[in-house]
Amino acid sequence: MKSFEYLVAENLEAAIESYGDNNVMLKAGGIDLLDLMKERIETPDSVLSIDQLDDLRYIREEDDGVHIGALTTLAKLGESDLLKQHYAVLHESAANTATPQVRQRATLAGNLCQRPRCWYYRNREFDCLKNHGDRCYVRDGENEHHAIFGGAPCHILHPSNVAPALVALDAVLIVESHGAEPKRIRAAEFFVLPRQAMFTENVLEAGQVITGIILPEKPRASATIELREKQSFDWPICSASVARLEDKWRICLGAVAPIPWLSEPAMAVMEDRDVTEALAKEAGEAAAGEAEPLSDNGYKVDLVKVVTRRALLAAAGKGDH
Amino acid sequence: MSYRDDNRVALENDHPRIEMVEKVTGKARFTTDHYLPEMLWAAYIRCDYGDARITRRHVDRARDVEGVLEVEIDRERGRYHGDRLGHICAESRKALEEAMAALDLRFDVERPKTRIERERTPLDQLDAPDNIEDAEAALEDSDVTVEAEYQTQVQTHCCMEPHGALVDYKGDSARAWGSTQSTFGFRDGLARELDLPSSDVDFNCEHVGGGFGSKFGPGAEGTLAARMSKKFEKPCRVVRNRKEEQLDTGNRPGSLQYMRLGISRQGRIRGGRIATWGSVGPGGGGGGVRNPSRYDFGTIARSHEDVNLNGGPPRAMRAPGHPQALFAIELMMDRMAGEIGMDPLEFRRVNETSDVRKEMFDAGAAMIGWDKRRDGGVDLDNGALRRGYGVGVGDWGNSRGRASVTVNVYRDGTVEALNGAQDIGTGFRTMLGDVVATHIGIGRDQLKVRIGRSEYPFGPASGGSVTSRFVAPRAFMAADKAKKAILDLVAIEWELDDTEGLSIEDGVIRGPDDRQMEWGRACRLLSEERVSFSADDEGEFWKQPTGSDAVQFVEADVDIETGIVYVRRIVALQDVGLPVNRHTVENQITGAVIQGLSFCLFEDRILNRQTGAMVNPNMDMYKIAGPRDVPEITPVIWRSRDDPGVNSLGEPPIVPTCGAIACAVANAIGTQVQSMPLTPRQVLAVIAGKERA
Ligand SMILES: Cc1cc2nc3c(=O)[nH]c(=O)nc-3n(C[C@H](O)[C@H](O)[C@H](O)COP(=O)(O)OP(=O)(O)OC[C@H]3O[C@@H](n4cnc5c(N)ncnc54)[C@H](O)[C@@H]3O)c2cc1C
C-alpha cells in the first residue's frame, strides 16, 4: 500500500469542503477502498474518513418517503422492521450481503460506490481498460463471472446487490458538494455503462458526496432473489429485485451487467398485471432474451430466467423458494 | 467390531484444547507476531505472468527508496506467476513495499501453458503399459465395459497463517522463528544456510496456523531471512502476503483420469486400463494420482504422465494424490453399478478390500438413511430441489518412526511433557498432554506441555499423519517411567515390599489399607529438584496398527434450475486406533470433511490463458467454503480393534469426501458431473446435456 495522509472529517460540512481536492479519496466503512489500496489499484495521497459522521446513520419516515442516511450500515438495514415490512426487496438484499462481519462495517453509500470485482481489474498484472490499459481480457479469457448484458468494451459486473433493489424501488440519491445545492439523482440514472464512462461506474463528479437515499414510494409488493455459488462470504452470481410501484412492476437484475440492469423486456411483459406462474415465466424468458453471453457465462442466461420468475412469484406471495 | 454413538474416547478425555484460551485471546504467538528491535524486512521480487522475460526495471529507483538495503534481480525470466526472480531487503515494511512499487517491472509475455487437457499427451499416443495385454484379456473376460474420464482442478493450501520466518543471526549462534510442519527440518535447513551446527540454532514454532503439507523445511522464506540476517547482522523477517500464498506455496495438482474397466454381471471388477495425468509446474513433477486404490480393480494396466504448465508447482497437500483419485474412482464405481443395475453400496461391498469398511458401510447406511436413495434422485417439494445420496472410502497407513519424549517431575508436583514437534493446528499438544496426564493419573492442572522448540527432544515432521502416531508411544513410555519412579518412593515411604497394589487416580495415590497420598506430597519424596524420564523406544506401547479406515456418506440437494449444490449432511466414520481426546479427534474429522467439501464445490486456481497470471490469487475470488456452506457433519469414532495404538488421523478423513459428494450430486440429478469443482455452471451444463440427450 502506498503511504497516505489520513484525514478525519469532524462534520459533514467540513468533509464536503475538504473533499474534492485532487487525489483525496473518501472512506466510509473502508472495506472496498482498503482492498484497492493494498493492490495499488488506488494510490491516493490522502484518505478522508467520513465513517464517524453518525448524523448520516438513520432510517426514518418523512412526508416524501423513507429517508436513509448514507452511512447507515447494511446490518442496520437488515435489522429494520420498517424495511422488512414494507420494502422487502431492499431488506432482503441488505440482510443477505456478504457476512455479518462485513455488514457491520459496510455502509449503504460505500456499497453503491464499491468498485467492480472483475478479476482483471482487481489484479494489477492486467493492464485492462478500466486500469487505464489498452485491452479487455474478458472476451478471450476467463469470463464465467462477467456480464451478459451491456458489456462492451468492458464486461464488468456491478458488484452491489443492494443497488438493484434501489433501482427497482425507484429510489433517489441525495448528493452534496461544496458550494452547491444538494442534488437529487434517481438510482436508475446514477449508474453508467463503461461505454459512457470507463473509469467510474456512476455519475458522481469530483467533490460529490452521497448523503442520503429516499424511497419515495411504498411498493405494493416486492422481493429480491439472489443466487450465490457459496452461501457465505460471496457475491451473488445472479439476482433479481422486483417491486410493484402503484400498479406497475419494476424488475432489476443484478450481477449480470456493468450496472444494475433494469429489464425493459421483462417489465413490458408484466406491466401492471397480477403475477401468474405463466406470466412470471414469460417475464423471465423476456429478460433473458436480450442477453449476449460470452464463451463461459451462458449459465447466467438460464439463471436470469429463474431469478426473474422466482422473484415475481415471491413478491406475489407465491414463491416456493 | 463396533463404534459408539457417543464418541467417548479410550482415555476418557473430553477436555478442550490445552491452548484454547491462548488461541482465542490472541496470547498465542505465531511467527508473524514476533518483532525484534532493528528487524529487517525482506521479500521476493516475483514474475507477474506465466512465462515472461523482464523488459523494464527501475532497480536504481528501488534502491533510492529510503531504508532500502538491497535490491537484486537474479533471473530475467520467470516460468510461472509468482516465480521468484530476486529480492529486496529493507529496514521497514514501508520501505520494502515502496521499493517493490518503484521497481515497476515490465515483462514480455510468451504464450503460457495453462490447461492440462491441452498440453497432455493424448491417450492414443501414450506408450502402452507393459501389462496391457493382461488388462485387455481381463476386459475381454468381462460382461460389461465401462469407460469415462474425470477431471480435478488445482487446489491451493490456504493456510490460515502465511509462510514466514524470522531469523536472528549472531555470529556463532542464531535464534529463529518459523511457520512450519517440521521444527527440526526447519532448524537443520537454517543451520546449513548459516553454516552453523544445528545445536547452535535455537528454533521456535510454538504455534503454527496450518501447513497442509506446504511447510516442511525453511522454504524460500527461511532461506532469504537467513541470508539477509547473516549479511546485515540484524534480525530479518520474511512473511508472505496473501497473494504470494496463493501463487507460490505449492498446491494440490490438477488431474485427468481416464478409466476403461470391465465388470462381471455379478458386479466383480475384472480389470482394464487407467491413465492419469497430473498438472505440475514448469519443471519437475509431483502430479501423481492414487488411482486405482482401495477397491479391488483386478488386472489394471496403468500409466501416469506429469504435465508441465506455467503455474505454481505442486507440493504435498493433505493426503497427496488421494482425494482427487477418489473423486474419479467413486464416480466410476457408481457408473459401473448403474450399468448392471446394482445398488452402488452393494457394488462396493463386492469389490471392497477392507473388512472394516464393509462394517462401516452398514453402520453409515443406517445413519444417513441409504434406503431413501432413489435412482435419479428424490423430488423433494415438487419444485426444483432434488436429493441424492453418495458414499466414499479412504484409509491410511500406520508405519513406525522416530521420536522421543521427556517427562520431567518437579518436587512441587509439577509434571512437564516435552517434545519438539509442532502443533500445526491439529491438537498435537493436547494429545501429548492427555496421554501423559491420563497415564500417570494426574489432573491437567498439574501438567505443562512444552512443544515446538528445537531444544526439546526430537519430534517428527507433520507429514503422512505421523506426529501423534510416532510420539504417543514414547509419551506413554516416559509417563510410565515417571509414574513407576514416584510409586517406588511411595512404596518405600509406606514400607511396602513393592508397588503392587498402588494406583494413581485424579492426582491421589492409593494403597493397601485405604492409604492415600496426594501426588504433590509424593513428589516431595524426591531427593532432587527435578527428575527427568526420557523415552525414545516404544516398548509395549507400540500396538498392532489399524488401517485408519474411513467411510463417508453424503446427503445433498441440488437445485436443478440453478445448479447450486446444497450439501445437507455428512456422516464420517473414521477408525483412528486409540482416540485420545474426543474434541481433537472430532475436529480433525470435521475439518477434513470441510476441506474436502470446499475442494469439491468451490476451490479452483484459475490461470488466465492469455498471460498465465492467476486471476484469483486472493480469498474472495478463490472460493473457500464458509460457515453456511458447512452441512451437519457427524463424526463417528470407530473402534476396529481392542487395545489399539494412536493411529493416523490427519489425512484419512479428507480422502472420501469429494467422491462421496460427487456421487450424491450425480444421484440427485441423474447424471454425473465429471469435472470439479461442482459449480452451478458445471452442474447446469451437465443437466442441459442430459436433457439434450
Ligand atoms: C467477503 C465479502 C463479501 C461481499 N459480498 C457482497 C455482496 O454479496 N454484495 C455486495 O453488494 N457487496 C458485497 N461485499 C462488498 C461490501 O459490501 C462493500 O465492500 C461495502 O459495502 C463497501 O462499503 P464501505 O462503507 O466499506 O465502503 P468504502 O470502502 O469506504 O468505500 C467504497 C467506495 O465508495 C466511496 N464512497 C463511500 N462513501 C461514499 C459517499 N457517502 N459518497 C460518495 N462516495 C462514497 C468510496 O470513496 C469508495 O470509492 C462483500 C465484501 C466482502 C469482503
Side-chain angles (χ1 to χ4, degrees), chain B residues 75 206 216 233 255 285 437 503 510 525 538 549 557 578 660:
Chain B
R75 290 169 60 214
E206 247 179 285
F216 298 107
E233 297 181 340
S255 75
S503 65
R510 288 170 212 280
L525 300 171
E538 303 158 309
D549 284 295
D557 296 342
L578 179 75

Side-chain angles (χ1 to χ4, degrees), chain A residues 19 24-36 42 50-51 56 70-71 74 93 96-99 102-103 105-115 117 122 159-163 190 202 204 208-212 226 228 232-236, chain B residues 619-620:
Chain A
Y19 188 46
V24 177
M25 289 202 68
L26 214 51
K27 181 194 82 71
I31 298 174
D32 194 48
L33 188 59
L34 267 135
D35 267 0
L36 293 163
E42 294 291 354
I50 53 170
D51 194 31
L56 294 186
L71 294 179
L74 300 187
S93 62
N96 284 318
T97 300
T99 66
V102 170
R103 295 196 292 271
R105 277 215 71 68
T107 67
L108 181 54
N111 182 278
L112 298 180
C113 298
Q114 61 176 307
R115 307 301 311 275
R117 306 301 301 185
R122 287 270 166 172
S160 167
N161 68 326
V162 177
F190 181 72
N202 57 54
L204 281 184
Q208 289 187 324
V209 179
I210 302 173
T211 56
E226 294 174 352
R228 286 180 163 76
S232 282
F233 224 82
D234 206 1
W235 279 259
Chain B
M619 289 280 88
D620 64 84

